[in-house]
Amino acid sequence: MINGSSNDASTNAPRISSSETNPRDPFVISRCRRSTEVTVNNDDTNNDSSEETDIEELHILEELPDRAPEFLMFRNLFRQVDPVQVLLDGRTQSAFVSAVKKTVFADGEDGGKCKLVFLASKEYSFEACKRRIYLLSLPTEPKNCTDEERTLFLRTVIDFNQTQTVHALGALLKYLDLNWSNLNLDLQSKPQFLSLRRISLKDIVTIDEDTYRGLQIFSTISHPSNFKKGVQGSNKEGLSLFYIFSKCSSKVGQTMMRVLMQHPTTNLETIKRRQDAVEFFMKPKSDTIMRNMCSSLRFIKNVNGILTKIKELSAKPYQWKSLYNTLYNAVLICEMCENAGKSSEFLEQLASFDNNKLYEMALYMNRIIDFDLSKTERKFTVKAGVDHELDMKKQTMASLHTLMSETAKVELERLPPFVEKCTMLYMPHLGYLLGVKIWAEGLTMEEKQLPDMKFMFQNNDYIHYKSKGCEELDVMIGDTYPEIVAHETRIKLRLTAVILDNLNALAACVDACAELDCLIAIAKVSIEYNFVRPTMSPEKIIDIKDGRHPLHILTTDNFVPNDAQTSAGACARILTGPNASGKSVYIKMIGLIVYLAHIGSFVPARTATIGIIRHIRSRLQTAECVATHMSAFLIDLKQMELALQESTSDSLILIDEFGKGTSEVDGLALLAACLNTFLFQGDACPHIFLSTHFLNIREYIVETPLVKFLRFEHVMDGDAPVFLFRVTEGCVDSSFALQVARVSGVDGGVLDRASEVADSMKNNGLPPPSKKIMTKLKAFTEIIKSDLAEDI
């Protein structure tokens, strides 16, 4: 694409001015106008920092039993994947369909979190789905393989003995075949997949949605605009654990951090591998290498969407540049990991990564692609010196710069004086054309005819002609520009083939870099808030010394740390204490420390020994919503029921103020019954941390060494308690509700009356009458009597 320009001292002579090339006219050669104005070139380039987010990747899940009616595995998977659509078999059991609808339409969101699609059983039978899988083509399969060889290859990556997995994968492929144009808004393309990956939930620590919300691990805030509310990507993260750890340098790292925090693991080797890497980056001597890695991680992009565009030959120049930056910086990161020594198994694996293929791809791209010129011309452009024949064509095209300028000047002189501007352009099927800007409104066909010009067509404000000069250019130059584009396309195809051959190595390295970004972010948080490495144990134990709440330390400088211990012989802790003494914060602190330990993070404590936990259940927060058709007390019961049904000896149960939504007698009875149910399991009893406002709970539970009572210390300042927020052994005998209400600003008259009522209830009597109320009643009584007397 060439813009011709020249200056002429004569004001009457035509002047060639450089102007912006319109992307809708990709073959504009030169423009010429009679005016003396110079048009400033304001080329608006693409944003190189933009990133493709479309992931053309298939994930398959191994078959796992999922217990009705909660279907917790499905909910964990739904939370991790965050799907746009969920496909269901039309014959699916009603209990599972109800659980899916409850998950999708939770919190009363308009339209739900995603779209539900029910598939007809006849069209998506097992055999039909199986046949569709055999037609699946992946870049990783052997080249030029036969149908039998492809089938053998697919059997190495898919276990066809798992019928549910095969049925689900085949149904997904068939659905995409039929609906791809609607999903992708492209009638020409077909679904293509770059890889197939197995995922597993066997090692996950199962956490329900209410526990995630109660512990504030995630806290999504909807967009305030009703127009954008519920739109995917419009929400933002509020104050939460995920918000604290959102310190990744790349978008792929940020995405991986969400997945990592949604998949706490029970695998001790994985946890240790992450802890070793975090510990390495927390050392002062590692500060330089960590900074250098962060600088390189900023350029790591999600290559799945970019590679899809490259495979379809529709990648833009900035996408090629993003892929090159990803390759180059991935190689740098692997080389930097070699300097980390033997301090971390994760860094050793990254250092031993076969980055020769990545280096070769980056080298090919650097030697072939002219990124600066590609950005200017908005197309894939090959560097000089790569192909001699291509260089000769470009030299011929470069010589047109002056020729086109002179041609435009000559043509403008031949045109009538009322024509002030003309444009030289090239179109593949028509050759070189002269474009004349329309000189008047409402021209007829006869008026559009110019002498010695052949009218071709009109496009917007320009009328295009074939002049004698254009005919001479057709004979002399021909299709030079299309030949250059075709030649560069052939080179691009060969480069694309090299990149796709090494697809697996590139995808694996990007995933490793994303996880590295997460571990560096965890190390940054651990340094900033003085976290320590917990000791993970296969035994049944939780031993936390001077633990702190990771969210409260953000909002206060004088947080009081506390200890927490449970073991196989003493696994239940019942916490009593005055109102507002810190019971809820203490319970949540334990849950968050245990959770952080299972994602491989350091924890806010002086020391911590954490046994492997497989389930975290809670009754912490009552998430009321009109759409759920449940009262606050019923929601609490559902949470407690889930804890009773799903808990095992290696579970963690967090209960905060259960039974407060009903009468004191019924609430105490339910709490005692639930607690006794846990304690009757003996050695199979889970870890239990329970806070309650029922001060006499000790009288209604079995006496067992499994239970230990704790309380929060306080001192009295006159009639008002001063809370020390320090946990100690024992029970309390008063809730100090009236004193806390007085400190909170409740009116003194109301509190005095409440005190009188409380004393009467303790003595099984009626409270004394209120003089103020009795005076008002007598006044109203006299008014009513007088009105009745008048009526009589």
Side-chain angles (χ1 to χ4, degrees):
M1 186 181 305
I2 302 174
N3 290 334
S5 63
S6 66
N7 291 325
D8 197 325
S10 175
T11 57
N12 296 326
R15 173 165 294 182
I16 310 299
S17 63
S18 176
S19 62
E20 179 186 357
T21 300
N22 191 339
R24 292 177 295 182
D25 300 326
F27 303 113
V28 172
I29 302 297
S30 178
R31 289 189 174 95
C32 182
R33 61 192 307 168
R34 296 183 188 275
S35 65
T36 59
E37 299 176 0
V38 178
T39 304
V40 179
N41 187 1
N42 293 322
D43 191 17
D44 186 15
T45 58
N46 287 318
N47 183 9
D48 290 345
S49 63
S50 59
E51 179 180 356
E52 290 293 329
T53 56
D54 297 331
I55 301 178
E56 307 295 340
E57 191 174 32
L58 284 174
H59 289 181
I60 57 175
L61 178 68
E62 298 179 1
E63 293 183 4
L64 290 173
D66 203 0
R67 294 176 55 183
E70 285 77 16
F71 297 101
L72 296 177
M73 286 297 180
F74 163 76
R75 294 186 179 183
N76 284 324
L77 182 63
F78 184 90
R79 190 187 307 113
Q80 289 190 36
V81 175
D82 192 18
V84 176
Q85 291 190 17
V86 174
L87 309 182
L88 293 174
D89 189 349
R91 297 179 300 181
T92 304
Q93 54 180 320
S94 58
F96 180 68
V97 173
S98 299
V100 172
K101 291 181 178 179
K102 184 177 179 181
T103 302
V104 171
F105 299 101
D107 301 329
E109 295 187 10
D110 297 336
K113 298 179 181 178
C114 67
K115 182 180 179 181
L116 290 182
V117 179
F118 288 87
L119 305 180
S121 301
K122 293 182 179 179
E123 298 179 8
Y124 294 88
S125 63
F126 174 77
E127 292 300 327
C129 294
K130 188 175 181 179
R131 288 193 298 270
R132 176 59 184 88
I133 295 178
Y134 285 144
L135 299 176
L136 180 62
S137 178
L138 297 173
T140 53
E141 68 184 21
K143 295 182 178 179
N144 303 321
C145 62
T146 63
D147 292 341
E148 294 182 357
E149 292 172 341
R150 177 183 290 109
T151 301
L152 183 62
F153 168 75
L154 290 174
R155 287 188 174 277
T156 62
V157 295
I158 302 173
D159 186 0
F160 282 84
N161 293 324
Q162 296 186 351
T163 57
Q164 295 295 334
T165 300
V166 172
H167 199 174
L169 177 59
L172 174 62
L173 295 174
K174 284 178 62 66
Y175 179 80
L176 292 177
D177 291 339
L178 298 174
N179 299 274
W180 185 252
S181 59
N182 295 329
L183 296 171
N184 199 41
L185 300 179
D186 188 353
L187 298 176
Q188 304 298 327
S189 65
K190 295 181 180 180
Q192 297 181 356
F193 304 99
L194 296 173
S195 62
L196 189 148
R197 182 180 303 179
R198 292 183 181 180
I199 56 177
S200 176
L201 298 178
K202 289 182 178 180
D203 65 332
I204 191 173
V205 178
T206 308
I207 305 176
D208 58 277
E209 190 68 31
D210 289 334
T211 301
Y212 267 109
R213 188 184 296 111
L215 293 176
Q216 281 185 264
I217 297 174
F218 298 99
S219 178
T220 303
I221 300 177
S222 300
H223 198 280
S225 172
N226 288 330
F227 180 75
K228 292 186 177 180
K229 187 176 181 180
V231 177
Q232 190 172 20
S234 64
N235 298 335
K236 68 177 183 179
E237 191 70 21
L239 179 61
S240 63
L241 204 62
F242 178 70
Y243 174 80
I244 296 177
F245 284 90
S246 297
K247 296 182 179 295
C248 295
S249 301
S250 63
K251 290 186 177 180
V252 290
Q254 192 75 357
T255 303
M256 178 66 76
M257 178 64 78
R258 182 175 289 274
V259 173
L260 186 145
M261 296 186 71
Q262 290 173 338
H263 195 140
T265 180
T266 60
N267 191 315
L268 277 173
E269 294 181 359
T270 300
I271 296 174
K272 182 180 182 302
R273 183 169 59 92
R274 294 173 181 173
Q275 288 179 342
D276 290 341
V278 172
E279 185 176 23
F280 170 78
F281 289 115
M282 289 182 65
K283 296 178 180 178
K285 65 179 182 181
S286 304
D287 183 67
T288 301
I289 189 173
M290 184 174 68
R291 292 179 182 272
N292 293 335
M293 284 183 176
C294 290
S295 299
S296 295
L297 285 169
R298 293 189 299 109
F299 296 96
I300 302 297
K301 304 293 183 182
N302 171 26
V303 297
N304 290 317
I306 297 176
L307 290 174
T308 302
K309 296 295 183 182
I310 290 176
K311 187 177 181 181
E312 296 174 353
L313 301 181
S314 60
K316 298 179 180 179
Y318 76 89
Q319 292 171 325
W320 281 100
K321 185 64 176 292
S322 295
L323 179 60
Y324 171 73
N325 288 336
T326 299
L327 289 167
Y328 177 77
N329 286 280
V331 173
L332 284 181
I333 291 171
C334 293
E335 291 178 352
M336 282 187 281
C337 289
E338 294 178 0
N339 300 326
K342 304 295 183 179
S343 56
S344 168
E345 180 184 351
F346 176 80
L347 297 179
E348 288 181 22
Q349 291 176 356
L350 202 53
S352 61
F353 195 89
D354 185 11
N355 57 7
N356 291 330
K357 296 179 180 179
L358 303 182
Y359 179 78
E360 290 177 2
M361 286 190 287
L363 185 62
Y364 288 149
M365 293 179 67
N366 184 47
R367 290 184 176 179
I368 292 174
I369 305 175
D370 190 330
F371 292 107
D372 294 334
L373 198 56
S374 297
K375 180 179 179 180
T376 303
E377 298 190 0
R378 302 179 183 178
K379 70 177 185 65
F380 183 93
T381 305
V382 179
K383 280 184 177 180
V386 175
D387 189 290
H388 177 71
E389 184 180 353
L390 178 62
D391 293 340
M392 294 299 295
K393 293 178 181 178
K394 287 188 175 182
Q395 289 179 7
T396 303
M397 193 67 187
S399 65
L400 297 179
H401 189 87
T402 304
L403 179 60
M404 290 299 98
S405 299
E406 295 297 328
T407 303
K409 184 191 302 184
V410 171
E411 293 293 350
L412 187 59
E413 291 176 348
R414 294 176 180 174
L415 293 171
F418 53 78
V419 176
E420 298 182 353
K421 186 178 180 180
C422 69
T423 301
M424 292 295 299
L425 70 156
Y426 175 85
M427 299 191 71
H429 300 291
L430 300 177
Y432 292 89
L433 297 176
L434 178 67
V436 177
K437 189 172 183 179
I438 192 169
W439 55 88
E441 297 292 337
L443 294 176
T444 63
M445 182 57 67
E446 295 181 357
E447 294 173 338
K448 294 178 182 178
Q449 300 294 334
L450 296 178
D452 298 328
M453 299 282 180
K454 180 181 178 182
F455 176 85
M456 302 300 292
F457 63 91
Q458 180 178 348
N459 182 21
N460 297 329
D461 295 337
Y462 275 83
I463 304 174
H464 298 85
Y465 300 92
K466 176 72 77 170
S467 65
K468 292 182 179 180
C470 294
E471 293 175 353
E472 294 174 358
L473 290 175
D474 290 339
V475 176
M476 181 175 59
I477 300 175
D479 300 332
T480 304
Y481 184 82
E483 289 178 0
I484 293 175
V485 174
H487 202 129
E488 288 182 331
T489 301
R490 290 193 293 270
I491 296 175
K492 180 170 65 174
L493 285 171
R494 292 197 294 268
L495 179 60
T496 300
V498 174
I499 293 174
L500 294 179
D501 285 342
N502 301 300
L503 179 64
N504 286 342
L506 177 57
C509 187
V510 169
D511 288 344
C513 290
E515 186 175 357
L516 174 66
D517 201 0
C518 295
L519 298 179
I520 291 177
I522 293 175
K524 291 179 180 178
V525 175
S526 301
I527 294 173
E528 182 176 0
Y529 299 110
N530 196 25
F531 288 5
V532 299
R533 177 171 181 167
T535 301
M536 303 303 296
S537 171
E539 300 178 359
K540 185 176 181 178
I541 182 174
I542 295 177
D543 188 1
I544 301 171
K545 303 294 185 183
D546 291 339
R548 295 167 290 148
H549 194 292
L551 296 180
H552 272 263
I553 59 179
L554 293 179
T555 58
T556 180
D557 296 330
N558 55 353
F559 187 88
V560 179
N562 277 294
D563 300 344
Q565 297 91 20
T566 58
S567 60
C571 56
R573 296 292 181 266
I574 300 179
L575 180 65
T576 59
N579 294 296
S581 60
K583 299 189 297 296
S584 298
V585 173
Y586 178 77
I587 295 294
K588 294 177 181 180
M589 176 198 76
I590 297 169
L592 286 173
I593 290 177
V594 172
Y595 167 81
L596 285 173
H598 283 79
I599 65 172
S601 171
F602 283 25
V603 298
R606 178 165 55 86
T607 61
T609 301
I610 309 295
I612 291 298
I613 299 295
R614 298 192 177 275
H615 313 276
I616 300 180
R617 301 280 181 255
S618 71
R619 207 316 308 162
L620 295 173
Q621 182 177 348
T622 305
E624 297 183 67
C625 179
V626 176
T628 59
H629 304 290
M630 291 190 294
S631 66
F633 180 60
L634 183 56
I635 294 174
D636 292 353
L637 287 175
K638 286 288 185 180
Q639 294 175 353
M640 183 62 79
E641 177 194 16
L642 180 63
L644 287 169
Q645 289 182 349
E646 299 292 333
S647 64
T648 59
S649 61
D650 49 7
S651 299
L652 173 62
I653 310 297
L654 306 173
I655 304 173
D656 184 28
E657 303 291 0
F658 175 72
K660 63 183 179 181
T662 186
S663 67
E664 181 177 0
V665 175
D666 294 337
L668 176 59
L670 284 169
L671 178 60
C674 294
L675 188 56
N676 286 329
T677 302
F678 286 121
L679 297 177
F680 285 151
Q681 300 176 16
D683 294 338
C685 178
H687 299 275
I688 301 175
F689 288 89
L690 181 148
S691 69
T692 180
H693 63 286
F694 299 124
L695 304 183
N696 55 343
I697 182 67
R698 190 168 194 168
E699 302 174 8
Y700 299 96
I701 61 173
V702 295
E703 293 186 5
T704 170
L706 296 176
V707 179
K708 188 175 183 180
F709 285 87
L710 304 175
R711 65 180 178 87
F712 270 96
E713 294 181 347
H714 69 278
V715 295
M716 299 300 296
D717 184 11
D719 294 333
V722 177
F723 303 123
L724 303 179
F725 305 108
R726 176 72 67 181
V727 173
T728 186
E729 294 187 18
C731 297
V732 296
D733 54 4
S734 176
S735 64
F736 297 103
L738 298 181
Q739 291 84 345
V740 172
R742 190 178 302 277
V743 174
S744 302
V746 179
D747 184 77
V750 176
L751 295 176
D752 293 339
R753 180 60 180 172
S755 179
E756 293 177 353
V757 173
D759 292 338
S760 300
M761 292 178 64
K762 291 178 181 178
N763 298 325
N764 295 323
L766 295 175
S770 173
K771 296 181 179 180
K772 186 176 181 181
I773 296 176
M774 294 302 297
T775 302
K776 288 185 177 181
L777 287 176
K778 289 180 180 179
F780 282 112
T781 302
E782 293 299 330
I783 294 174
I784 293 172
K785 287 181 178 179
S786 62
D787 291 341
L788 291 176
E790 291 178 0
D791 293 339
I792 295 174

